[in-house]
Amino acid sequence: MVERHHAEDPLARLRERTPVLGMLREAGAEDRPFEGATIGVSSHLEPKTGIFIETLRDAGAEVLCTPNDPGSVHGDVVSHLDAQSGITAFAAPEMSEADLDRAHRDLLDREPDLLATDGAELLAKCHADPELSTESVVGCAEQTTSGVSRARAMADDGVLAVPVFAVNHTPMKHWFDNVHGTGESALTNVMLSTNTVLAGRTVVVAGYGYVGRGVATKARALGADTVVTEVDSRKAIRAHMDGHRVMPMDEAAEIGELFVTATGNCHVIRERHVRKMNDGAMLCNVGHRDIEVAIGELADAATDVRDVEEGITRYSLADGRTIDLLAEGKMVNLTGPYSQGHPAAVMDTTFAAMVLALRELVETDGLDAGVHPLPERLDEDVARLKLDALGVEIDSLTDLQQRYLDAWQRDEIV
Ligand code: NAI
């Protein structure tokens, strides 16, 4: 008989599935690029983030970590991290928004040298709060769409005082994490938490950026009839050419059975939409904040609001129809009852890019304050390491091919 042990280390199983981080961890333990530096990490405190944090610590950093969302804290991960030397967690499983604010301040009071953020919360806070300062901060690596757009807004306002690497905007992040990671993990959570099959259902996806495209593509692969709403004509035509029906939310509201918002914007689903929806329609969000569904308006439209199951809040309308909001409108793949975030294989490359971005910040002198693209060579390094880990080999250009591509008088080459 096989003897089963409960893992004492909640990260052990996932370490096997994050080989690129494993390689960077070994390299970092040898050359210790963060020796003497304090890194403030604000992200979903779940196992993959735990491995990222350990990787930074093994590379010499003192790591301070805090969640970016009170709903995505895994207590076992926090205890495991906090018990280790070189890591301090400012987090607890049942945090209120006020606790989270306090935790962010406590972390920033420790004057970190580097920030690694998901949503730019720590970055915005140390710039906005007169009691805090950006003085200690050498730079920041930001891993999500909303955080990069926030950092850009700070730069446009002329307040951004530190360099920020837009890790989200690398091909390796966009193509894999946003599309596949969020696409699969969001729908998995919806299906598990609602016990629903998506085949044959009408799924409305709001926003056809990287995330929305992933959600819509995966939903259709599962047999759903997919509808996309957009505000950008090029994204809308892309959705149309990819085979989804495209229409305004006012029309989609009448036919959808599951609505998934993925815009990074606010108030995409409003009271007037809800009033048109089918009985039993389900609403969820994968965008960064719980403001894509106008929850206050939903409550105003309802005669009764109650939690019917973990992660499902039912809004009853006066005519007897009910609408279910999943995960309180927060990111359903990260805060729903079955949430495990993105698969480890996906976060492996995202966090690897974050590690390389932080290394670049300490190793490069004179980076201006502002939002910078992550140098392409670093993104290529991540891809190469991932291919190595997967055992996948690719071709390389011959000298002749390179000369041909570099030339404009190509007939002289071949
Ligand atoms: P993106 O910028 O590529 O796409 C957003 C799309 O939404 C754009 O095409 C935009 O035109 C559209 N949009 C904006 N307002 C709209 C409206 N009112 N109605 C319909 N469409 C509208 O961004 P990306 O990378 O797809 O990310 C979307 C959101 O998902 C962001 O908030 C990002 O931070 C978040 N995100 C969440 C993850 C998760 O694990 N849940 C992982 C990665 C990103």
Side-chain angles (χ1 to χ4, degrees), residues 144-147 168 173-174 177-178 182 206-212 229-232 235 262-265 268 286-288 292 331 333-334 342:
T144 199
T145 311
S146 288
N168 179 74
K173 168 69 168 61
H174 269 158
D177 178 315
N178 297 33
T182 317
Y208 202 68
Y210 293 98
V211 170
T229 72
E230 250 299 342
V231 292
D232 178 317
K235 304 285 178 62
T263 69
N265 206 337
V268 177
V286 283
H288 193 70
E292 302 215 9
M331 284 179 280
N333 60 324
L334 286 154
H342 290 174

PDB file of all heavy atoms in Angstrom, residues 144-147 168 173-174 177-178 182 206-212 229-232 235 262-265 268 286-288 292 331 333-334 342, ligand 1:
ATOM      1  N   THR A 144       1.138  43.252 -14.456  1.00  0.00           N
ATOM      2  CA  THR A 144      -0.176  43.123 -15.083  1.00  0.00           C
ATOM      3  C   THR A 144      -0.577  44.365 -15.871  1.00  0.00           C
ATOM      4  O   THR A 144      -0.034  45.457 -15.690  1.00  0.00           O
ATOM      5  CB  THR A 144      -1.260  42.726 -14.060  1.00  0.00           C
ATOM      6  OG1 THR A 144      -2.378  42.205 -14.768  1.00  0.00           O
ATOM      7  CG2 THR A 144      -1.707  43.893 -13.217  1.00  0.00           C
ATOM      8  N   THR A 145      -1.574  44.153 -16.758  1.00  0.00           N
ATOM      9  CA  THR A 145      -2.036  45.204 -17.664  1.00  0.00           C
ATOM     10  C   THR A 145      -2.473  46.449 -16.890  1.00  0.00           C
ATOM     11  O   THR A 145      -2.074  47.575 -17.195  1.00  0.00           O
ATOM     12  CB  THR A 145      -3.245  44.694 -18.476  1.00  0.00           C
ATOM     13  OG1 THR A 145      -2.926  43.429 -19.018  1.00  0.00           O
ATOM     14  CG2 THR A 145      -3.607  45.655 -19.586  1.00  0.00           C
ATOM     15  N   SER A 146      -3.323  46.225 -15.876  1.00  0.00           N
ATOM     16  CA  SER A 146      -3.866  47.364 -15.136  1.00  0.00           C
ATOM     17  C   SER A 146      -2.764  48.144 -14.438  1.00  0.00           C
ATOM     18  O   SER A 146      -2.813  49.377 -14.365  1.00  0.00           O
ATOM     19  CB  SER A 146      -4.899  46.891 -14.103  1.00  0.00           C
ATOM     20  OG  SER A 146      -6.053  46.491 -14.771  1.00  0.00           O
ATOM     21  N   GLY A 147      -1.771  47.428 -13.915  1.00  0.00           N
ATOM     22  CA  GLY A 147      -0.666  48.098 -13.224  1.00  0.00           C
ATOM     23  C   GLY A 147       0.168  48.936 -14.176  1.00  0.00           C
ATOM     24  O   GLY A 147       0.579  50.050 -13.847  1.00  0.00           O
ATOM     25  N   ASN A 168       4.418  43.136 -17.971  1.00  0.00           N
ATOM     26  CA  ASN A 168       3.184  42.644 -18.616  1.00  0.00           C
ATOM     27  C   ASN A 168       3.241  42.756 -20.130  1.00  0.00           C
ATOM     28  O   ASN A 168       2.639  41.955 -20.834  1.00  0.00           O
ATOM     29  CB  ASN A 168       1.979  43.441 -18.107  1.00  0.00           C
ATOM     30  CG  ASN A 168       0.700  42.966 -18.764  1.00  0.00           C
ATOM     31  OD1 ASN A 168       0.203  41.890 -18.441  1.00  0.00           O
ATOM     32  ND2 ASN A 168       0.185  43.729 -19.716  1.00  0.00           N
ATOM     33  N   LYS A 173       4.647  37.338 -21.650  1.00  0.00           N
ATOM     34  CA  LYS A 173       3.574  37.528 -20.662  1.00  0.00           C
ATOM     35  C   LYS A 173       2.218  37.560 -21.366  1.00  0.00           C
ATOM     36  O   LYS A 173       1.296  36.821 -21.028  1.00  0.00           O
ATOM     37  CB  LYS A 173       3.837  38.826 -19.873  1.00  0.00           C
ATOM     38  CG  LYS A 173       2.681  39.332 -19.013  1.00  0.00           C
ATOM     39  CD  LYS A 173       2.409  38.441 -17.819  1.00  0.00           C
ATOM     40  CE  LYS A 173       1.470  39.024 -16.778  1.00  0.00           C
ATOM     41  NZ  LYS A 173       0.142  39.349 -17.160  1.00  0.00           N
ATOM     42  N   HIS A 174       2.113  38.439 -22.357  1.00  0.00           N
ATOM     43  CA  HIS A 174       0.836  38.602 -23.052  1.00  0.00           C
ATOM     44  C   HIS A 174       0.330  37.302 -23.649  1.00  0.00           C
ATOM     45  O   HIS A 174      -0.814  36.932 -23.482  1.00  0.00           O
ATOM     46  CB  HIS A 174       1.020  39.594 -24.215  1.00  0.00           C
ATOM     47  CG  HIS A 174       0.751  41.011 -23.820  1.00  0.00           C
ATOM     48  ND1 HIS A 174       1.260  42.072 -24.524  1.00  0.00           N
ATOM     49  CD2 HIS A 174       0.017  41.540 -22.835  1.00  0.00           C
ATOM     50  CE1 HIS A 174       0.845  43.196 -23.969  1.00  0.00           C
ATOM     51  NE2 HIS A 174       0.110  42.894 -22.951  1.00  0.00           N
ATOM     52  N   ASP A 177       0.491  34.132 -20.308  1.00  0.00           N
ATOM     53  CA  ASP A 177      -0.187  34.358 -19.033  1.00  0.00           C
ATOM     54  C   ASP A 177      -1.599  34.905 -19.266  1.00  0.00           C
ATOM     55  O   ASP A 177      -2.594  34.300 -18.853  1.00  0.00           O
ATOM     56  CB  ASP A 177       0.685  35.343 -18.232  1.00  0.00           C
ATOM     57  CG  ASP A 177       0.113  35.741 -16.894  1.00  0.00           C
ATOM     58  OD1 ASP A 177      -1.085  36.046 -16.830  1.00  0.00           O
ATOM     59  OD2 ASP A 177       0.868  35.788 -15.910  1.00  0.00           O
ATOM     60  N   ASN A 178      -1.686  36.044 -19.980  1.00  0.00           N
ATOM     61  CA  ASN A 178      -2.995  36.680 -20.142  1.00  0.00           C
ATOM     62  C   ASN A 178      -3.946  35.796 -20.953  1.00  0.00           C
ATOM     63  O   ASN A 178      -5.110  35.631 -20.604  1.00  0.00           O
ATOM     64  CB  ASN A 178      -2.853  38.043 -20.830  1.00  0.00           C
ATOM     65  CG  ASN A 178      -2.047  39.027 -20.001  1.00  0.00           C
ATOM     66  OD1 ASN A 178      -1.133  38.630 -19.285  1.00  0.00           O
ATOM     67  ND2 ASN A 178      -2.360  40.292 -20.089  1.00  0.00           N
ATOM     68  N   THR A 182      -5.081  33.053 -17.813  1.00  0.00           N
ATOM     69  CA  THR A 182      -6.354  33.585 -17.341  1.00  0.00           C
ATOM     70  C   THR A 182      -7.515  32.899 -18.038  1.00  0.00           C
ATOM     71  O   THR A 182      -8.531  32.583 -17.411  1.00  0.00           O
ATOM     72  CB  THR A 182      -6.441  35.110 -17.576  1.00  0.00           C
ATOM     73  OG1 THR A 182      -5.207  35.686 -17.221  1.00  0.00           O
ATOM     74  CG2 THR A 182      -7.542  35.729 -16.760  1.00  0.00           C
ATOM     75  N   ALA A 206     -16.714  40.533 -22.302  1.00  0.00           N
ATOM     76  CA  ALA A 206     -16.560  41.983 -22.487  1.00  0.00           C
ATOM     77  C   ALA A 206     -15.084  42.309 -22.528  1.00  0.00           C
ATOM     78  O   ALA A 206     -14.365  42.048 -21.561  1.00  0.00           O
ATOM     79  CB  ALA A 206     -17.239  42.735 -21.350  1.00  0.00           C
ATOM     80  N   GLY A 207     -14.625  42.845 -23.646  1.00  0.00           N
ATOM     81  CA  GLY A 207     -13.209  43.175 -23.813  1.00  0.00           C
ATOM     82  C   GLY A 207     -12.513  42.061 -24.563  1.00  0.00           C
ATOM     83  O   GLY A 207     -12.549  40.901 -24.141  1.00  0.00           O
ATOM     84  N   TYR A 208     -11.914  42.389 -25.717  1.00  0.00           N
ATOM     85  CA  TYR A 208     -11.217  41.369 -26.521  1.00  0.00           C
ATOM     86  C   TYR A 208      -9.740  41.711 -26.602  1.00  0.00           C
ATOM     87  O   TYR A 208      -9.134  41.730 -27.654  1.00  0.00           O
ATOM     88  CB  TYR A 208     -11.852  41.280 -27.910  1.00  0.00           C
ATOM     89  CG  TYR A 208     -11.590  39.961 -28.616  1.00  0.00           C
ATOM     90  CD1 TYR A 208     -12.142  38.776 -28.148  1.00  0.00           C
ATOM     91  CD2 TYR A 208     -10.792  39.908 -29.756  1.00  0.00           C
ATOM     92  CE1 TYR A 208     -11.915  37.571 -28.792  1.00  0.00           C
ATOM     93  CE2 TYR A 208     -10.563  38.708 -30.419  1.00  0.00           C
ATOM     94  CZ  TYR A 208     -11.123  37.543 -29.928  1.00  0.00           C
ATOM     95  OH  TYR A 208     -10.911  36.335 -30.571  1.00  0.00           O
ATOM     96  N   GLY A 209      -9.167  42.030 -25.426  1.00  0.00           N
ATOM     97  CA  GLY A 209      -7.711  42.179 -25.348  1.00  0.00           C
ATOM     98  C   GLY A 209      -7.125  40.786 -25.164  1.00  0.00           C
ATOM     99  O   GLY A 209      -7.742  39.776 -25.507  1.00  0.00           O
ATOM    100  N   TYR A 210      -5.936  40.728 -24.602  1.00  0.00           N
ATOM    101  CA  TYR A 210      -5.275  39.428 -24.431  1.00  0.00           C
ATOM    102  C   TYR A 210      -6.122  38.499 -23.569  1.00  0.00           C
ATOM    103  O   TYR A 210      -6.331  37.331 -23.901  1.00  0.00           O
ATOM    104  CB  TYR A 210      -3.894  39.622 -23.799  1.00  0.00           C
ATOM    105  CG  TYR A 210      -2.952  40.357 -24.727  1.00  0.00           C
ATOM    106  CD1 TYR A 210      -2.750  41.723 -24.599  1.00  0.00           C
ATOM    107  CD2 TYR A 210      -2.306  39.674 -25.747  1.00  0.00           C
ATOM    108  CE1 TYR A 210      -1.905  42.394 -25.459  1.00  0.00           C
ATOM    109  CE2 TYR A 210      -1.454  40.343 -26.617  1.00  0.00           C
ATOM    110  CZ  TYR A 210      -1.266  41.700 -26.471  1.00  0.00           C
ATOM    111  OH  TYR A 210      -0.433  42.367 -27.335  1.00  0.00           O
ATOM    112  N   VAL A 211      -6.610  39.021 -22.450  1.00  0.00           N
ATOM    113  CA  VAL A 211      -7.365  38.176 -21.520  1.00  0.00           C
ATOM    114  C   VAL A 211      -8.705  37.760 -22.140  1.00  0.00           C
ATOM    115  O   VAL A 211      -9.066  36.582 -22.158  1.00  0.00           O
ATOM    116  CB  VAL A 211      -7.576  38.917 -20.174  1.00  0.00           C
ATOM    117  CG1 VAL A 211      -8.566  38.167 -19.300  1.00  0.00           C
ATOM    118  CG2 VAL A 211      -6.256  39.088 -19.448  1.00  0.00           C
ATOM    119  N   GLY A 212      -9.431  38.746 -22.649  1.00  0.00           N
ATOM    120  CA  GLY A 212     -10.751  38.445 -23.222  1.00  0.00           C
ATOM    121  C   GLY A 212     -10.646  37.469 -24.382  1.00  0.00           C
ATOM    122  O   GLY A 212     -11.472  36.561 -24.538  1.00  0.00           O
ATOM    123  N   THR A 229     -18.094  41.830 -26.668  1.00  0.00           N
ATOM    124  CA  THR A 229     -18.398  43.266 -26.710  1.00  0.00           C
ATOM    125  C   THR A 229     -17.076  44.019 -26.636  1.00  0.00           C
ATOM    126  O   THR A 229     -16.151  43.576 -25.958  1.00  0.00           O
ATOM    127  CB  THR A 229     -19.316  43.711 -25.550  1.00  0.00           C
ATOM    128  OG1 THR A 229     -18.571  43.705 -24.327  1.00  0.00           O
ATOM    129  CG2 THR A 229     -20.532  42.799 -25.423  1.00  0.00           C
ATOM    130  N   GLU A 230     -16.975  45.106 -27.348  1.00  0.00           N
ATOM    131  CA  GLU A 230     -15.724  45.878 -27.400  1.00  0.00           C
ATOM    132  C   GLU A 230     -16.027  47.367 -27.558  1.00  0.00           C
ATOM    133  O   GLU A 230     -17.153  47.746 -27.892  1.00  0.00           O
ATOM    134  CB  GLU A 230     -14.858  45.421 -28.580  1.00  0.00           C
ATOM    135  CG  GLU A 230     -13.580  44.665 -28.207  1.00  0.00           C
ATOM    136  CD  GLU A 230     -12.596  45.458 -27.353  1.00  0.00           C
ATOM    137  OE1 GLU A 230     -12.678  46.683 -27.281  1.00  0.00           O
ATOM    138  OE2 GLU A 230     -11.701  44.835 -26.739  1.00  0.00           O
ATOM    139  N   VAL A 231     -15.007  48.189 -27.312  1.00  0.00           N
ATOM    140  CA  VAL A 231     -15.113  49.619 -27.605  1.00  0.00           C
ATOM    141  C   VAL A 231     -14.055  50.031 -28.630  1.00  0.00           C
ATOM    142  O   VAL A 231     -14.063  51.156 -29.105  1.00  0.00           O
ATOM    143  CB  VAL A 231     -14.938  50.477 -26.323  1.00  0.00           C
ATOM    144  CG1 VAL A 231     -16.097  50.282 -25.366  1.00  0.00           C
ATOM    145  CG2 VAL A 231     -13.610  50.163 -25.619  1.00  0.00           C
ATOM    146  N   ASP A 232     -13.141  49.117 -28.941  1.00  0.00           N
ATOM    147  CA  ASP A 232     -12.053  49.404 -29.873  1.00  0.00           C
ATOM    148  C   ASP A 232     -12.358  48.694 -31.193  1.00  0.00           C
ATOM    149  O   ASP A 232     -12.518  47.468 -31.222  1.00  0.00           O
ATOM    150  CB  ASP A 232     -10.751  48.882 -29.235  1.00  0.00           C
ATOM    151  CG  ASP A 232      -9.528  49.075 -30.119  1.00  0.00           C
ATOM    152  OD1 ASP A 232      -9.617  48.811 -31.338  1.00  0.00           O
ATOM    153  OD2 ASP A 232      -8.474  49.459 -29.584  1.00  0.00           O
ATOM    154  N   LYS A 235     -10.043  45.707 -32.214  1.00  0.00           N
ATOM    155  CA  LYS A 235     -10.265  44.496 -31.405  1.00  0.00           C
ATOM    156  C   LYS A 235     -11.590  43.848 -31.803  1.00  0.00           C
ATOM    157  O   LYS A 235     -11.724  42.623 -31.838  1.00  0.00           O
ATOM    158  CB  LYS A 235     -10.305  44.843 -29.916  1.00  0.00           C
ATOM    159  CG  LYS A 235      -9.092  45.562 -29.391  1.00  0.00           C
ATOM    160  CD  LYS A 235      -7.917  44.618 -29.229  1.00  0.00           C
ATOM    161  CE  LYS A 235      -6.669  45.325 -28.740  1.00  0.00           C
ATOM    162  NZ  LYS A 235      -6.778  45.943 -27.445  1.00  0.00           N
ATOM    163  N   ALA A 262     -13.559  41.471 -18.944  1.00  0.00           N
ATOM    164  CA  ALA A 262     -12.091  41.382 -19.045  1.00  0.00           C
ATOM    165  C   ALA A 262     -11.556  42.664 -19.662  1.00  0.00           C
ATOM    166  O   ALA A 262     -10.773  42.629 -20.604  1.00  0.00           O
ATOM    167  CB  ALA A 262     -11.719  40.178 -19.907  1.00  0.00           C
ATOM    168  N   THR A 263     -11.985  43.796 -19.134  1.00  0.00           N
ATOM    169  CA  THR A 263     -11.662  45.076 -19.782  1.00  0.00           C
ATOM    170  C   THR A 263     -10.599  45.893 -19.042  1.00  0.00           C
ATOM    171  O   THR A 263     -10.000  46.784 -19.629  1.00  0.00           O
ATOM    172  CB  THR A 263     -12.911  45.973 -19.901  1.00  0.00           C
ATOM    173  OG1 THR A 263     -13.283  46.390 -18.581  1.00  0.00           O
ATOM    174  CG2 THR A 263     -14.071  45.248 -20.561  1.00  0.00           C
ATOM    175  N   GLY A 264     -10.421  45.667 -17.739  1.00  0.00           N
ATOM    176  CA  GLY A 264      -9.572  46.560 -16.947  1.00  0.00           C
ATOM    177  C   GLY A 264     -10.248  47.913 -16.750  1.00  0.00           C
ATOM    178  O   GLY A 264      -9.629  48.861 -16.274  1.00  0.00           O
ATOM    179  N   ASN A 265     -11.516  47.994 -17.105  1.00  0.00           N
ATOM    180  CA  ASN A 265     -12.252  49.252 -17.020  1.00  0.00           C
ATOM    181  C   ASN A 265     -13.304  49.139 -15.900  1.00  0.00           C
ATOM    182  O   ASN A 265     -13.307  48.169 -15.141  1.00  0.00           O
ATOM    183  CB  ASN A 265     -12.927  49.511 -18.379  1.00  0.00           C
ATOM    184  CG  ASN A 265     -13.160  50.981 -18.627  1.00  0.00           C
ATOM    185  OD1 ASN A 265     -13.221  51.773 -17.692  1.00  0.00           O
ATOM    186  ND2 ASN A 265     -13.284  51.345 -19.889  1.00  0.00           N
ATOM    187  N   VAL A 268     -18.868  48.138 -16.720  1.00  0.00           N
ATOM    188  CA  VAL A 268     -19.105  47.582 -18.054  1.00  0.00           C
ATOM    189  C   VAL A 268     -20.481  46.913 -18.099  1.00  0.00           C
ATOM    190  O   VAL A 268     -21.190  46.964 -19.097  1.00  0.00           O
ATOM    191  CB  VAL A 268     -17.985  46.566 -18.396  1.00  0.00           C
ATOM    192  CG1 VAL A 268     -18.234  45.903 -19.735  1.00  0.00           C
ATOM    193  CG2 VAL A 268     -16.632  47.268 -18.382  1.00  0.00           C
ATOM    194  N   VAL A 286     -12.809  38.945 -14.712  1.00  0.00           N
ATOM    195  CA  VAL A 286     -11.402  38.551 -14.603  1.00  0.00           C
ATOM    196  C   VAL A 286     -10.481  39.755 -14.697  1.00  0.00           C
ATOM    197  O   VAL A 286      -9.269  39.616 -14.596  1.00  0.00           O
ATOM    198  CB  VAL A 286     -10.973  37.509 -15.668  1.00  0.00           C
ATOM    199  CG1 VAL A 286     -11.453  36.137 -15.313  1.00  0.00           C
ATOM    200  CG2 VAL A 286     -11.401  37.902 -17.062  1.00  0.00           C
ATOM    201  N   GLY A 287     -11.041  40.940 -14.937  1.00  0.00           N
ATOM    202  CA  GLY A 287     -10.234  42.166 -14.961  1.00  0.00           C
ATOM    203  C   GLY A 287      -9.727  42.466 -13.556  1.00  0.00           C
ATOM    204  O   GLY A 287     -10.186  41.869 -12.565  1.00  0.00           O
ATOM    205  N   HIS A 288      -8.811  43.412 -13.486  1.00  0.00           N
ATOM    206  CA  HIS A 288      -8.049  43.572 -12.248  1.00  0.00           C
ATOM    207  C   HIS A 288      -8.889  43.921 -11.010  1.00  0.00           C
ATOM    208  O   HIS A 288      -8.592  43.483  -9.913  1.00  0.00           O
ATOM    209  CB  HIS A 288      -6.974  44.634 -12.458  1.00  0.00           C
ATOM    210  CG  HIS A 288      -5.957  44.639 -11.369  1.00  0.00           C
ATOM    211  ND1 HIS A 288      -5.044  43.630 -11.219  1.00  0.00           N
ATOM    212  CD2 HIS A 288      -5.753  45.504 -10.349  1.00  0.00           C
ATOM    213  CE1 HIS A 288      -4.303  43.885 -10.156  1.00  0.00           C
ATOM    214  NE2 HIS A 288      -4.711  45.008  -9.614  1.00  0.00           N
ATOM    215  N   GLU A 292     -15.863  46.127 -12.605  1.00  0.00           N
ATOM    216  CA  GLU A 292     -16.308  45.970 -14.007  1.00  0.00           C
ATOM    217  C   GLU A 292     -17.810  45.711 -14.058  1.00  0.00           C
ATOM    218  O   GLU A 292     -18.506  46.167 -14.951  1.00  0.00           O
ATOM    219  CB  GLU A 292     -15.499  44.862 -14.697  1.00  0.00           C
ATOM    220  CG  GLU A 292     -14.002  45.159 -14.657  1.00  0.00           C
ATOM    221  CD  GLU A 292     -13.224  44.705 -15.874  1.00  0.00           C
ATOM    222  OE1 GLU A 292     -13.809  44.290 -16.880  1.00  0.00           O
ATOM    223  OE2 GLU A 292     -11.979  44.791 -15.800  1.00  0.00           O
ATOM    224  N   MET A 331     -11.680  39.057  -9.235  1.00  0.00           N
ATOM    225  CA  MET A 331     -11.151  38.159 -10.275  1.00  0.00           C
ATOM    226  C   MET A 331     -11.496  36.712  -9.944  1.00  0.00           C
ATOM    227  O   MET A 331     -11.022  36.155  -8.960  1.00  0.00           O
ATOM    228  CB  MET A 331      -9.635  38.326 -10.368  1.00  0.00           C
ATOM    229  CG  MET A 331      -9.252  39.586 -11.077  1.00  0.00           C
ATOM    230  SD  MET A 331      -7.472  39.788 -11.151  1.00  0.00           S
ATOM    231  CE  MET A 331      -7.170  40.399  -9.521  1.00  0.00           C
ATOM    232  N   ASN A 333     -10.784  33.908 -11.180  1.00  0.00           N
ATOM    233  CA  ASN A 333      -9.766  32.845 -11.191  1.00  0.00           C
ATOM    234  C   ASN A 333      -8.843  32.918  -9.990  1.00  0.00           C
ATOM    235  O   ASN A 333      -8.080  31.998  -9.729  1.00  0.00           O
ATOM    236  CB  ASN A 333      -8.928  32.910 -12.479  1.00  0.00           C
ATOM    237  CG  ASN A 333      -8.209  34.222 -12.638  1.00  0.00           C
ATOM    238  OD1 ASN A 333      -8.720  35.269 -12.270  1.00  0.00           O
ATOM    239  ND2 ASN A 333      -7.013  34.193 -13.181  1.00  0.00           N
ATOM    240  N   LEU A 334      -8.911  34.040  -9.273  1.00  0.00           N
ATOM    241  CA  LEU A 334      -7.996  34.190  -8.135  1.00  0.00           C
ATOM    242  C   LEU A 334      -8.708  34.238  -6.798  1.00  0.00           C
ATOM    243  O   LEU A 334      -8.115  33.964  -5.762  1.00  0.00           O
ATOM    244  CB  LEU A 334      -7.151  35.459  -8.310  1.00  0.00           C
ATOM    245  CG  LEU A 334      -6.080  35.288  -9.385  1.00  0.00           C
ATOM    246  CD1 LEU A 334      -5.697  36.595 -10.003  1.00  0.00           C
ATOM    247  CD2 LEU A 334      -4.865  34.591  -8.798  1.00  0.00           C
ATOM    248  N   HIS A 342      -3.367  31.149 -11.897  1.00  0.00           N
ATOM    249  CA  HIS A 342      -2.925  30.564 -13.165  1.00  0.00           C
ATOM    250  C   HIS A 342      -2.182  29.265 -12.918  1.00  0.00           C
ATOM    251  O   HIS A 342      -1.555  29.094 -11.882  1.00  0.00           O
ATOM    252  CB  HIS A 342      -1.962  31.511 -13.870  1.00  0.00           C
ATOM    253  CG  HIS A 342      -2.632  32.741 -14.381  1.00  0.00           C
ATOM    254  ND1 HIS A 342      -1.940  33.780 -14.933  1.00  0.00           N
ATOM    255  CD2 HIS A 342      -3.910  33.081 -14.429  1.00  0.00           C
ATOM    256  CE1 HIS A 342      -2.782  34.716 -15.301  1.00  0.00           C
ATOM    257  NE2 HIS A 342      -3.984  34.314 -14.996  1.00  0.00           N
TER     258      HIS A 342
HETATM  259  P1  NAI B   1      -6.084  44.705 -22.854  1.00  0.00           P
HETATM  260  O1  NAI B   1      -5.830  46.150 -22.707  1.00  0.00           O
HETATM  261  O2  NAI B   1      -5.314  43.899 -23.843  1.00  0.00           O
HETATM  262  O3  NAI B   1      -7.639  44.437 -23.145  1.00  0.00           O
HETATM  263  C1  NAI B   1      -8.703  45.131 -22.580  1.00  0.00           C
HETATM  264  C2  NAI B   1      -9.760  45.296 -23.660  1.00  0.00           C
HETATM  265  O4  NAI B   1     -10.970  45.765 -23.059  1.00  0.00           O
HETATM  266  C3  NAI B   1      -9.361  46.290 -24.742  1.00  0.00           C
HETATM  267  O5  NAI B   1      -9.448  45.670 -26.010  1.00  0.00           O
HETATM  268  C4  NAI B   1     -10.369  47.417 -24.591  1.00  0.00           C
HETATM  269  O6  NAI B   1     -10.706  48.026 -25.819  1.00  0.00           O
HETATM  270  C5  NAI B   1     -11.552  46.690 -23.994  1.00  0.00           C
HETATM  271  N1  NAI B   1     -12.494  47.552 -23.262  1.00  0.00           N
HETATM  272  C6  NAI B   1     -12.243  48.613 -22.478  1.00  0.00           C
HETATM  273  N2  NAI B   1     -13.385  49.141 -22.007  1.00  0.00           N
HETATM  274  C7  NAI B   1     -14.386  48.369 -22.501  1.00  0.00           C
HETATM  275  C8  NAI B   1     -15.801  48.407 -22.377  1.00  0.00           C
HETATM  276  N3  NAI B   1     -16.414  49.334 -21.651  1.00  0.00           N
HETATM  277  N4  NAI B   1     -16.535  47.466 -23.037  1.00  0.00           N
HETATM  278  C9  NAI B   1     -15.913  46.504 -23.787  1.00  0.00           C
HETATM  279  N5  NAI B   1     -14.572  46.440 -23.947  1.00  0.00           N
HETATM  280  C10 NAI B   1     -13.830  47.364 -23.315  1.00  0.00           C
HETATM  281  O7  NAI B   1      -5.868  44.088 -21.385  1.00  0.00           O
HETATM  282  P2  NAI B   1      -5.698  42.545 -20.967  1.00  0.00           P
HETATM  283  O8  NAI B   1      -4.267  42.182 -20.910  1.00  0.00           O
HETATM  284  O9  NAI B   1      -6.639  41.735 -21.764  1.00  0.00           O
HETATM  285  O10 NAI B   1      -6.186  42.640 -19.437  1.00  0.00           O
HETATM  286  C11 NAI B   1      -7.550  42.928 -19.120  1.00  0.00           C
HETATM  287  C12 NAI B   1      -7.703  42.985 -17.604  1.00  0.00           C
HETATM  288  O11 NAI B   1      -7.389  41.699 -17.048  1.00  0.00           O
HETATM  289  C13 NAI B   1      -6.753  43.965 -16.924  1.00  0.00           C
HETATM  290  O12 NAI B   1      -7.418  44.566 -15.841  1.00  0.00           O
HETATM  291  C14 NAI B   1      -5.644  43.063 -16.411  1.00  0.00           C
HETATM  292  O13 NAI B   1      -4.939  43.630 -15.339  1.00  0.00           O
HETATM  293  C15 NAI B   1      -6.436  41.856 -16.000  1.00  0.00           C
HETATM  294  N6  NAI B   1      -5.682  40.625 -15.888  1.00  0.00           N
HETATM  295  C16 NAI B   1      -6.205  39.698 -15.040  1.00  0.00           C
HETATM  296  C17 NAI B   1      -5.591  38.498 -14.867  1.00  0.00           C
HETATM  297  C18 NAI B   1      -6.199  37.499 -13.965  1.00  0.00           C
HETATM  298  O14 NAI B   1      -5.515  36.564 -13.567  1.00  0.00           O
HETATM  299  N7  NAI B   1      -7.459  37.615 -13.625  1.00  0.00           N
HETATM  300  C19 NAI B   1      -4.307  38.181 -15.546  1.00  0.00           C
HETATM  301  C20 NAI B   1      -3.885  39.176 -16.518  1.00  0.00           C
HETATM  302  C21 NAI B   1      -4.544  40.372 -16.636  1.00  0.00           C
END
